[in-house]
Amino acid sequence: MDEAGLAVRFEEQRPHLLAVAYRMLGSHAEADDAVQNAWLRLSGADTAEVANLAGWLTTVVARECLKVLRTRRNRREEPLTDTTAGPSAGGHDVGDPEAEALLADSIGPALMVVLDSLAPAERLAFVLHDVFAVPFGEIAAILERSPAATRQLTSRARRRVVGATPPRQVDVIRQRQVVRAFLAALRHGDFDGLLAVLDPDVLLRDDGAGLVRGARAVGAHALTFSRAARFVRPALVDGTVGLAIVPQGRLIGALGFAFDHDKIAVIELISDPGRLRRVDLAAFRP
């Protein structure tokens, strides 16, 4: 691919890369620098054998951020957390795959302060896995550790983050984990996985199908949308953790959730265009 083509592909990935870098570093300026360094690496690299350019660029940016975090820690610098909110996909422009990380983001300025207390490797592992769903194997390669050690590192970081996070943010993190598990089960057609996150008396309100009640009935109904689940992205729906349905970047539906003891108690499936226009859909916020 020529440089012009690479530049186009890179710009498609820039929102995602900036989101990754900002969550790693807590500084817009340093995030911009890390992403620019990734472009320099890309423009001088042989990418003929790169099958997943997005993954390759995410790895490059993560390594750039790790270097910054380690340098910052070695110099005993004060955290550079910006006081403004991070990159956002506000409004309804939320559907392209490159912006998935923006929608999956539940980290705001308050939680950034908590992240600054983590060691560089802990912060990288937590952000890449829990915020951007990067597999442990890929994170392990960046950190030069085994996948098992990386999993333990992430778990330790998660406990520290949750322990230092205000209750409202803990609720959002837990709810996001439940919704992520729901979406993963939906994408894999995993009926048992759906039952694991649904309250036994869960209620589904569907613009098209009306009311469906009970975990097994709701799970079976949800599986009819399994093939379309690749177009579903995490989002805040009317201020709560939910999902947006966005094939080719066009919003055609949204799922709002209510929770009871870390289980999904109510699902609101909104597909009517009139109702959809009134939905407040935005990136995750604490």
Side-chain angles (χ1 to χ4, degrees):
M1 184 182 301
D2 59 21
E3 186 165 335
L6 276 179
V8 171
R9 295 284 301 280
F10 182 81
E11 289 304 318
E12 290 172 350
Q13 297 298 322
R14 184 182 288 275
H16 166 75
L17 298 176
L18 284 170
V20 171
Y22 177 77
R23 299 312 165 201
M24 294 277 198
L25 301 174
S27 163
H28 293 297
E30 287 185 328
D32 285 336
D33 288 344
V35 172
Q36 186 59 30
N37 287 341
W39 164 247
L40 295 176
R41 287 279 302 278
L42 175 64
S43 61
D46 180 5
T47 58
E49 302 300 320
V50 176
N52 181 0
L53 184 62
W56 187 90
L57 286 169
T58 298
T59 297
V60 170
V61 168
R63 285 179 172 149
E64 290 290 330
C65 292
L66 187 60
K67 287 192 294 185
V68 173
L69 290 172
R70 285 172 171 166
T71 299
R72 185 190 296 174
R73 196 171 185 88
N74 289 338
R75 292 178 179 174
R76 300 180 183 275
E77 294 178 355
E78 291 298 316
L80 296 177
T81 305
D82 288 351
T83 57
T84 57
S88 168
H92 286 178
D93 184 17
V94 295
D96 59 306
E98 294 81 7
E100 181 175 1
L102 303 182
L103 298 176
D105 172 26
S106 65
I107 295 181
L111 192 50
M112 276 292 188
V113 175
V114 180
L115 292 184
D116 280 326
S117 70
L118 301 179
E122 289 178 330
R123 182 166 181 162
L124 181 141
F126 174 80
V127 169
L128 286 185
H129 183 267
D130 279 30
V131 179
F132 294 100
V134 176
F136 284 118
E138 295 179 22
I139 302 171
I142 297 171
L143 295 175
E144 298 180 343
R145 304 187 185 204
S146 69
T150 301
R151 186 185 297 271
Q152 291 177 347
L153 191 72
T154 307
S155 180
R156 184 166 68 243
R158 187 184 303 119
R159 288 195 299 271
R160 292 182 63 189
V161 168
V162 171
T165 304
R168 169 57 184 160
Q169 280 191 297
V170 171
D171 288 344
V172 171
I173 291 170
R174 287 174 177 165
Q175 290 168 7
R176 179 170 167 265
Q177 290 170 345
V178 172
V179 171
R180 178 190 292 157
F182 174 88
L183 181 55
L186 191 61
R187 286 174 172 170
H188 290 92
D190 180 2
F191 184 66
D192 290 336
L194 289 174
L195 293 182
V197 297
L198 295 175
D199 184 89
D201 295 320
V202 62
L203 175 66
L204 168 68
R205 300 190 186 99
D206 184 337
D207 283 346
L211 298 179
V212 182
R213 185 180 292 278
R216 300 190 70 85
V218 170
H221 182 73
L223 285 182
T224 63
F225 298 93
S226 185
R227 291 184 62 185
R230 67 185 185 276
F231 302 120
V232 177
R233 303 285 181 258
L236 279 181
V237 178
D238 287 334
T240 62
V241 179
L243 298 168
I245 308 170
V246 280
Q248 279 110 28
R250 184 172 63 88
L251 180 70
I252 65 169
L255 287 85
F257 296 92
F259 301 87
D260 184 14
H261 295 92
D262 294 336
K263 296 281 189 178
I264 296 172
V266 178
I267 303 174
E268 185 86 13
L269 177 54
I270 304 166
S271 57
D272 176 74
R275 290 191 64 201
L276 206 52
R277 282 194 293 271
R278 296 191 295 274
V279 170
D280 180 12
L281 187 68
F284 277 95
R285 292 292 174 207

